[in-house]
């Protein structure tokens, strides 16, 4: 254990033993081409969690080649056989649930409530995607030319590169690969260096055990600070036809430019700065419950966490008093203990970033109602009020358990303030007047608006996604549009007449 961890309570048992992993290329578990590996640490204890292959360009190329070779037969495989693989994968994940909860705790600091949510979500995603092979593969299009029969046919695009983040590691690792695979593509998955197991190698292990043919899913891992050569190969290769990226807006913008240079498509699911509006007629208890969950679940490290709460002035004093008391009662602790509700932040850099943002706001005049200082990598829920408009945290995503609360007098003013951010992922409006909520919700720049529900949530079948700097991808069945090409096929049933 590191020195900074000494203030933390004793560890819960059991924990999984640290293990040396290999990566998955062409159906084989292999070391990095040059034999290098890196250490993946438990964010709570600071101890070694796993040894991971530290790959480079040669590994990425082998994975692309394997995916390219596997494509034709996977795309042609019958619907029943493909469906069986997705159903098997879901069952294996369910069977391994207890072990996977511990892996997420130890690799990413994810406490049991969010880990169990992710497993149940991913199982649902897999079972729903098992139906994709049976969905209509296109439609008949009317032709102006007599005797011409025209079909718009959906076809897989080929090799898709998936890039996953560490935060909702299991759910997002699966989301990165499931729709592309279910549409008949083959995939090279490059997980985050902060969660190479839970956002990558686990997907490989479980799909492999479920009978996915060799090369259909390949997983390539790299060490922190060494994404360059792997990314270069994945973006420069003409054989990679599309990208499925979930991560920060800064990385997404850079990768969109890279993909655009080669005229390749990229699905983007990016950051968020999600507002919650509490109108004058809202149920205060419900608003406080919803805000506590939405702001602090997974210690504020979810793209959909509420970052700013705008409360009608008539409820403001009562709201901040109850909300701060509830926040104060939640303590970050050992994520491997089933009783823990929120765990540590992912790494020291994340702790420092959250601390800097809180300090800057307080230095500018903000008042801290609770929280605000780390113990090791644990950061307790932090509530700020009177945050100055020029503090970065006023409109920028700080990925941690920090939320701002502000009063408002006029609903239109609240909507303008909710929109005063470059992001547009999710929003929530608490009100007794549902139609008012729907109407105001339509004015908030967000891909997802929840009336009397949290900004934080999601089910596999919804059109999940944002607007503005939060990206443009849509999941659920809408993902089929992103990971297939629509091809026109015409058949002339009689000899045609031409003007030349
Ligand atoms: P990140 O952008 O740092 O990393 C995401 C992925 O991109 C990782 O796999 C990383 O290795 C990779 N990456 C980084 N630089 C790269 C490069 N130059 N070339 C190729 N790949 C590169 O984001 P993160 O810290 O892992 O995730 C947190 C962010 O993701 C937050 O902003 C959060 O809001 C966002 N997020 C969005 C959603 C969503 O669905 N909208 C879901 C989860 C997380």
């Amino acid at each position: 254990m590191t020195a900074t961890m000494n203030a933390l309570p004793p560890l819960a048992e059991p924990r999984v033993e640290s293990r040396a992993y290999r990566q998955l290329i062409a159906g084989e578990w292999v070391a990095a081409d040059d034999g290098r590996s890196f250490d993946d640490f438990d964010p709570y204890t600071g101890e070694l969690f796993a040894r991971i292959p530290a790959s480079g360009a040669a590994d990425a190329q082998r994975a692309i080649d394997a995916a390219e070779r596997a494509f034709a037969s996977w795309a042609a495989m019958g619907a029943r056989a493909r469906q069986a693989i997705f159903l098997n994968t879901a069952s294996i994940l369910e069977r391994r649930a207890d072990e996977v909860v511990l892996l997420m705790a130890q690799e990413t600091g994810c406490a049991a409530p969010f880990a169990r949510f992710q497993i149940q979500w991913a199982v649902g995603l897999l079972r729903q995607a098992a139906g994709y092979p049976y969905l209509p593969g296109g439609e008949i299009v009317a032709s102006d030319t007599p005797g011409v029969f025209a079909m718009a046919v959906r076809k897989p695009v080929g090799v898709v590169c998936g890039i996953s983040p560490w935060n909702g590691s299991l759910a997002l690792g699966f989301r990165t690969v499931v729709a592309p695979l279910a549409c008949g593509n083959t995939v090279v998955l490059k997980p985050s260096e902060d969660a190479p197991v839970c956002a990558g190698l686990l997907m490989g292990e479980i799909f492999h055990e479920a009978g996915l043919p060799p090369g259909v899913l390949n997983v390539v891992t790299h060490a922190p600070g060494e994404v360059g050569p792997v990314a270069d190969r994945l973006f420069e290769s003409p054989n990679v036809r599309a990208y499925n990226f979930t991560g920060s807006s800064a990385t997404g913008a850079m990768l969109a430019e890279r993909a655009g240079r080669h005229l390749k498509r990229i699905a983007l699911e990016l950051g968020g700065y999600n507002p919650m509006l509490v109108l004058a007629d809202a149920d205060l208890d419900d608003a406080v419950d919803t805000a506590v969950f939405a702001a602090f679940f997974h210690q504020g490290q979810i793209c959909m966490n509420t970052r700013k709460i705008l409360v009608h002035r008539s409820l403001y004093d009562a709201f901040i008093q109850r909300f701060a008391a509830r926040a104060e009662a939640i303590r970050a602790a050992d994520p491997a203990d089933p009783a823990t509700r929120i765990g540590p932040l992912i790494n020291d850099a994340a702790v420092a970033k959250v601390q800097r943002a809180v300090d800057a706001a307080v230095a500018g005049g903000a008042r801290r109602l609770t929280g605000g200082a780390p113990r090791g990598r644990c950061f307790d829920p932090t509530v700020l009020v009177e945050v100055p408009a020029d503090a970065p945290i006023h409109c920028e995503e700080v990925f941690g358990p920090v939320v701002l609360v502000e009063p408002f007098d006029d609903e239109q003013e609240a909507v303008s303030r909710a929109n005063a951010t470059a992001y547009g992922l999710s929003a929530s409006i608490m009100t007794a007047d549902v139609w008012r909520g729907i109407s105001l919700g339509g004015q908030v720049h967000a891909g997802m608006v929840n009336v009397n529900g949290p900004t934080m949530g999601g089910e596999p079948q919804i059109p999940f996604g944002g607007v503005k700097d939060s990206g443009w991808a849509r999941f659920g069945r809408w993902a089929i549009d992103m990971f297939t090409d629509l091809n026109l096929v015409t058949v002339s049933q009689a000899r045609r007449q031409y003007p030349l």
Side-chain angles (χ1 to χ4, degrees):
M1 228 189 268
T2 60
T4 54
M5 297 291 138
N6 286 343
L8 299 172
L11 296 181
E13 296 296 341
R15 302 180 98 79
V16 294
E17 289 290 308
S18 78
R19 165 184 156 192
Y21 282 80
R22 291 173 164 238
Q23 56 191 351
L24 182 62
I25 300 179
E28 304 285 333
W29 291 100
V30 295
D33 190 57
D34 61 6
R36 288 187 317 119
S37 63
F38 72 98
D39 291 342
D40 180 13
F41 293 104
D42 177 328
Y44 185 73
T45 63
E47 288 169 356
L48 181 70
F49 165 71
R51 284 231 154 79
I52 305 291
S55 294
D59 303 87
Q61 189 60 54
R62 275 160 61 212
I64 295 167
D65 293 345
E68 179 72 7
R69 281 196 305 274
F71 173 63
S73 57
W74 174 244
M77 185 185 274
R80 186 173 53 194
R82 273 203 268 158
Q83 179 178 61
I85 292 169
F86 287 94
L87 294 176
N88 281 346
T89 307
S91 300
I92 295 166
L93 177 57
E94 258 178 343
R95 191 193 74 218
R96 291 184 59 179
D98 290 345
E99 171 213 345
V100 170
V101 166
L102 274 182
L103 290 173
M104 277 192 269
Q106 285 175 243
E107 188 178 45
T108 69
C110 181
F114 186 46
R116 300 246 172 233
F117 168 86
Q118 290 193 60
I119 291 173
Q120 163 239 294
W121 188 95
V123 166
L125 175 75
L126 287 158
R127 295 215 165 110
Q128 289 172 23
Y132 284 17
Y134 284 105
L135 289 178
E139 51 190 292
I140 307 300
V141 181
S143 172
D144 289 337
T145 312
V148 168
F149 185 73
M151 295 167 276
V153 181
R154 288 230 161 262
K155 292 167 76 173
V157 299
V159 177
V160 174
C161 163
I163 300 181
S164 59
W166 55 268
N167 67 323
S169 57
L170 186 93
L172 300 175
F174 273 111
R175 190 179 75 180
T176 301
V177 302
V178 165
L181 290 174
C183 290
N185 304 288
T186 54
V187 172
V188 177
L189 171 61
K190 188 218 80 59
S192 164
E193 54 277 47
D194 282 311
V197 175
C198 294
L201 295 170
L202 254 184
M203 285 80 240
E205 263 182 34
I206 296 175
F207 265 115
H208 186 71
E209 186 184 339
L212 193 72
V216 174
L217 172 61
N218 307 274
V219 186
V220 178
T221 53
H222 63 87
E226 294 184 10
V227 70
V230 173
D232 287 352
R233 201 52 69 99
L234 289 168
F235 277 82
E236 301 306 317
S237 168
N239 291 334
V240 178
R241 300 308 315 156
Y243 302 86
N244 186 12
F245 175 80
T246 301
S248 64
S249 301
T251 308
M254 189 263 291
L255 295 182
E257 208 175 314
R258 271 198 104 162
R261 230 178 283 148
H262 298 283
L263 302 176
K264 297 196 265 189
R265 79 180 72 156
I266 178 166
L268 295 174
E269 283 289 3
L270 309 176
Y273 186 88
N274 311 295
M276 176 178 185
L277 276 60
V278 181
L279 306 191
D281 63 356
D283 177 319
L284 192 59
D285 289 334
D286 191 18
V288 170
D289 281 352
T290 304
V292 168
F293 167 70
F296 304 125
F297 202 48
H298 197 40
Q299 46 280 15
Q301 298 176 120
I302 301 174
C303 54
M304 295 170 283
N305 283 120
T306 298
R307 306 290 174 199
K308 183 182 282 187
I309 306 172
L310 295 151
V311 184
H312 190 267
R313 199 174 295 278
S314 60
L315 298 178
Y316 180 73
D317 288 341
F319 181 91
I320 57 173
Q321 198 184 4
R322 288 197 213 175
F323 179 60
R326 288 280 303 282
E328 184 139 21
I330 302 171
R331 283 285 163 268
D334 180 1
D337 182 340
T340 294
R341 289 187 289 163
I342 67 168
L345 300 187
I346 187 71
N347 53 34
D348 291 333
V351 175
K353 189 174 169 204
V354 175
Q355 183 74 70
R356 264 198 315 275
V358 171
D359 289 350
V362 171
R367 259 193 322 124
R368 201 178 54 205
L369 298 185
T370 183
R375 292 169 288 113
R377 289 181 200 102
C378 287
F379 211 106
D380 292 325
T382 300
V383 179
L384 300 176
V385 294
E386 295 154 36
V387 174
D390 62 352
I393 202 171
H394 204 264
C395 62
E396 287 173 16
E397 179 189 54
V398 171
F399 220 47
V402 183
V403 68
L404 282 55
V405 192
E406 293 180 359
F408 70 86
D409 296 298
D410 171 73
E411 288 173 357
Q412 286 304 321
E413 171 209 339
V415 168
S416 308
R417 278 154 59 185
N419 287 336
T421 168
Y423 295 104
L425 190 58
S426 179
S428 132
I429 301 190
M430 305 299 292
T431 174
D433 181 348
V434 168
W435 291 112
R436 185 93 202 108
I438 294 172
S439 138
L440 282 180
Q443 299 173 44
V444 178
H445 304 157
M448 299 174 284
V449 174
N450 307 282
V451 177
N452 293 329
T455 57
M456 220 319 292
E459 297 177 5
Q461 71 281 9
I462 63 168
F464 187 102
V467 297
K468 302 198 307 190
D469 285 11
S470 293
W472 55 62
R474 288 295 178 273
F475 282 91
R477 66 186 160 79
W478 295 269
I480 295 171
D481 294 349
M482 300 190 293
F483 302 116
T484 56
D485 283 324
L486 195 59
N487 279 102
L488 175 71
V489 179
T490 67
V491 180
S492 300
Q493 297 174 63
R495 188 160 177 175
R496 308 253 300 262
Q497 300 297 313
Y498 306 107
L500 294 182

